[in-house]
Amino acid sequence: MASLKEKFGSGLPALRDDIRNLVKSHGDVVLSEATVAQAYGGMRGIKSMICDTSEVSPEKGLIIRGIPLLEITDKLPEEIFWLLVTGELPNAGELKGLQADLAARSGVPSYVWDVMRAMPKDAHPMAMISVGIMAMQNLSEFAKAYAAGVKKTEYWESTMEDVLNLVAKLPELAAGIYRIRFHDGKLIPHDKSMDWGGNMAKMLGLPDPDGNLADLMRLYLTLHSDHESGNVSAHVCHTVGSALSDFYYALSAGLNGLAGPLHGLANQECRAIVLEMIDKYGGAPTDEQLTEYCWDTLNGGKVIPGYGHAVLRVTDPRFTAQVAWGKERIPEDPVFKTVAKMFDLVPGILKEQGKAKNPWPNVDAASGSLVYHFGIKEFPFYTVLFSVSRALGVGAQLIYNRALGAPIERPKSVTTQFVKDFVKK
Ligand code: HAX
């Protein structure tokens, strides 16, 4: 039975040759051009990065290593991680080996809890997880190997150590933040006999008599893992990592981007508006009330969180998977019902407004309503759960990039004067 390191390492010579030959033979072929509007418009659509862990099709959504997301929603997040790194789903033995490896690497050092407890009472949980990760940077195997003069071709090995070590510790860090920030501060120990997602649920310390919260966590951690590499969290992690900053620095930086309301924080915002509506209208809103609320939001110059996307032009399959789960497990929940009603009405409203290029829901529209049902009522915590999952994707991307010797990222910027002179010519 191969370990993740053996599996990835065995395919690496062929992968390196393949890419070396591709660049050697076709290095001059133009993939994309950049217009003035794209340069000022967030670089939308410019093909200038490589990501082999996953791709996002505007019409189909997330495809992980060639497999459309909705075909693998029954998989554990550990299986998805193996798939992201190696390109194949693990067999039963490989999965067991990876789970045992993660369990062995779990255990957040006690000094991290001292740091977490020293943070202000109103610290945002996203700031806490970012600081918590930084507090563990001293554990970086890559930083140690680099200082000892490791060869460039071997960078990926200590990077994989960092990714595995940190991924193993993240559920415990996230749950600890939840306990410290919102509960009595008593930490619930990691259960080495349980899977990674099940542990995430267990360490939160909420009642879960039927195991539904554990199941939800497994799905949640699978769905949010990767979304190619141009999104803010992945792109930032890649850029920081390209300077050979280790995974602790790179992940913390990426998650600081996930903490923005136009990215991962949208899941916190979505739940807030749903509850605001329920509060305002004294229960699940009627169609008219929901429509009125959305128009007030838009007319107030705000966005409707959970809707729209920079790449997608259809309903996000990550949303579809969550709604299917909710319909099966909690169909009568009023918050979930309001989310479903929003899906019926918001796209029409956004189309009528005519601004958003994509009026359909994204990953963040439904996730909060599901976790809310199981007692995670503290919205600011939601993006922390997203973070635990996102570490799988950006970690896989960093391993891959280190293995291929990806150079430091350095696109060229130009001044507005340059653009003015250039367009005159
Ligand atoms: N509500 C209102 N207006 C919206 C909108 C929404 N949900 N989505 C887009 N628009 C507006 C934009 O603000 C923009 O307006 P201006 O011309 O006044 O600047 C216009 O429509 C065109 O934007 P776009 O090209 O369709 O969208 P972008 O690629 O610029 O932005 C966003 C993509 C996801 C940031 C955007 O759709 C948005 O703000 N959505 C709401 C926040 C959200 O759900 N974010 C999470 C996205 C998924 C994700 O990353 N999760 O982590």
Side-chain angles (χ1 to χ4, degrees):
M1 182 193 70
S3 69
L4 187 65
K5 198 176 245 179
E6 287 159 354
K7 182 96 182 178
F8 181 74
S10 66
L12 196 50
L15 182 66
R16 282 177 174 153
D17 277 353
D18 189 34
I19 291 174
R20 200 177 298 122
N21 290 337
L22 185 65
V23 177
K24 201 171 156 199
S25 316
H26 304 289
D28 292 339
V29 174
V30 176
L31 268 183
S32 207
E33 288 179 339
T35 64
V36 170
Q38 284 171 310
Y40 279 97
M43 300 187 281
R44 218 59 98 251
I46 302 173
K47 297 186 191 76
S48 58
M49 301 177 75
I50 302 293
C51 176
D52 286 322
T53 55
S54 71
E55 60 185 299
V56 178
S57 149
E59 294 79 28
K60 294 189 190 135
L62 177 61
I63 299 168
I64 300 184
R65 293 287 200 160
I67 311 177
L69 178 73
L70 292 178
E71 292 176 20
I72 42 175
T73 51
D74 60 330
K75 302 294 174 209
L76 292 172
E78 299 93 309
E79 294 177 280
I80 298 294
F81 180 56
W82 185 285
L83 174 66
L84 286 163
V85 176
T86 68
E88 289 169 21
L89 283 162
N91 61 34
E94 289 166 339
L95 172 62
K96 231 170 142 201
L98 175 61
Q99 289 179 319
D101 190 15
L102 289 174
R105 292 168 189 267
S106 65
V108 171
S110 61
Y111 57 81
V112 176
W113 301 126
D114 297 339
V115 175
M116 293 294 97
R117 290 199 164 95
M119 288 187 76
K121 294 278 168 274
D122 61 351
H124 195 284
M126 284 303 289
M128 294 176 82
I129 193 165
S130 183
V131 170
I133 290 167
M134 285 317 310
M136 289 190 275
Q137 188 278 334
N138 63 316
L139 302 178
S140 172
E141 295 296 329
F142 175 79
K144 283 180 209 143
Y146 189 81
V150 67
K151 282 198 290 193
K152 194 171 178 180
T153 49
E154 291 165 15
Y155 285 174
W156 70 270
E157 297 186 35
S158 48
T159 297
M160 187 181 278
E161 288 296 312
D162 282 355
V163 174
L164 286 166
N165 283 335
L166 195 42
V167 160
K169 291 172 177 40
L170 280 178
E172 198 174 340
L173 176 61
I177 290 169
Y178 185 69
R179 304 289 312 162
I180 290 169
R181 180 67 172 70
F182 301 110
H183 287 269
D184 56 9
K186 286 191 194 129
L187 305 177
I188 296 166
H190 182 273
D191 179 348
K192 286 197 192 295
S193 68
M194 256 187 129
D195 61 293
W196 190 72
N199 252 306
M200 178 72 256
K202 187 172 179 187
M203 289 185 288
L204 292 170
L206 297 167
D208 187 22
D210 307 322
N212 274 326
L213 178 59
D215 270 358
L216 175 61
M217 279 301 116
R218 293 180 186 109
L219 177 71
Y220 193 111
L221 297 175
T222 287
L223 297 180
H224 291 75
S225 59
D226 206 33
H227 219 226
E228 64 175 49
S229 68
N231 66 77
V232 170
S233 48
H235 190 183
V236 171
C237 184
H238 170 70
T239 307
V240 173
S242 82
L244 297 186
S245 301
D246 61 56
F247 186 51
Y248 294 80
Y249 285 117
L251 180 64
S252 171
L255 298 185
N256 293 343
L258 194 71
L262 296 188
H263 192 17
L265 204 80
N267 62 9
Q268 151 179 346
E269 307 263 299
C270 284
R271 217 44 45 236
I273 70 160
V274 168
L275 290 178
E276 216 174 279
M277 273 190 265
I278 290 177
D279 196 38
K280 179 170 176 184
Y281 300 116
T286 63
D287 287 9
E288 292 69 31
Q289 288 167 335
L290 197 147
T291 304
E292 172 192 76
Y293 186 93
C294 288
W295 276 114
D296 286 351
T297 303
L298 293 174
N299 293 335
K302 291 188 270 182
V303 297
I304 300 185
Y307 283 76
H309 201 271
V311 176
L312 288 171
R313 294 296 175 257
V314 289
T315 296
D316 191 331
R318 300 172 298 176
F319 172 85
T320 307
Q322 294 180 71
V323 169
W325 194 93
K327 280 190 173 151
E328 191 190 308
R329 312 276 179 118
I330 53 165
E332 295 311 323
D333 179 277
V335 179
F336 176 69
K337 275 166 99 173
T338 305
V339 166
K341 195 187 276 275
M342 284 186 78
F343 182 38
D344 291 338
L345 298 173
V346 172
I349 296 170
L350 285 175
K351 278 186 202 164
E352 195 178 329
Q353 192 208 27
K355 277 171 74 173
K357 293 192 189 68
N358 174 40
W360 304 107
N362 60 54
V363 65
D364 295 317
S367 54
S369 70
L370 302 180
V371 297
Y372 187 87
H373 178 88
F374 293 99
I376 310 175
K377 307 217 166 191
E378 302 81 3
F379 317 141
F381 184 66
Y382 293 177
T383 316
V384 172
L385 294 173
F386 194 154
S387 305
V388 175
S389 176
R390 185 47 57 100
L392 301 177
V394 299
Q397 291 185 23
L398 193 67
I399 293 167
Y400 207 86
N401 286 324
R402 286 273 205 276
L404 293 174
I408 187 164
E409 189 171 285
R410 202 341 180 157
K412 177 80 184 95
S413 59
V414 292
T415 62
T416 294
Q417 192 57 50
F418 171 91
V419 176
K420 284 180 180 167
D421 295 342
F422 192 78
V423 297
K424 266 195 220 146
K425 284 183 196 156

